[in-house]
Amino acid sequence: MSRSSFLYALWCLAILGLYLTAASQGYSPFADGGRTAGAARAYGPTHK
């Protein structure tokens, strides 16, 4: 395996790892509000 293909595979694994970490934490860069860390709050719509 050449050095460039090894670095590309390492880059792909890093991207996959970041995606899986974001999925497990529930993080979305497109969400309007951030996720609260450990705070108890009601899930679902809070408006009437």
Side-chain angles (χ1 to χ4, degrees):
M1 181 187 295
S2 67
R3 182 178 177 171
S4 60
S5 62
F6 178 74
L7 290 176
Y8 180 70
L10 191 62
W11 180 80
C12 288
L13 284 175
I15 296 297
L16 181 64
L18 289 173
Y19 173 77
L20 291 175
T21 301
S24 69
Q25 296 295 322
Y27 173 75
S28 172
F30 307 109
D32 289 336
R35 179 179 171 149
T36 59
R41 80 184 255 214
Y43 291 99
T46 56
H47 62 279
K48 293 183 178 180

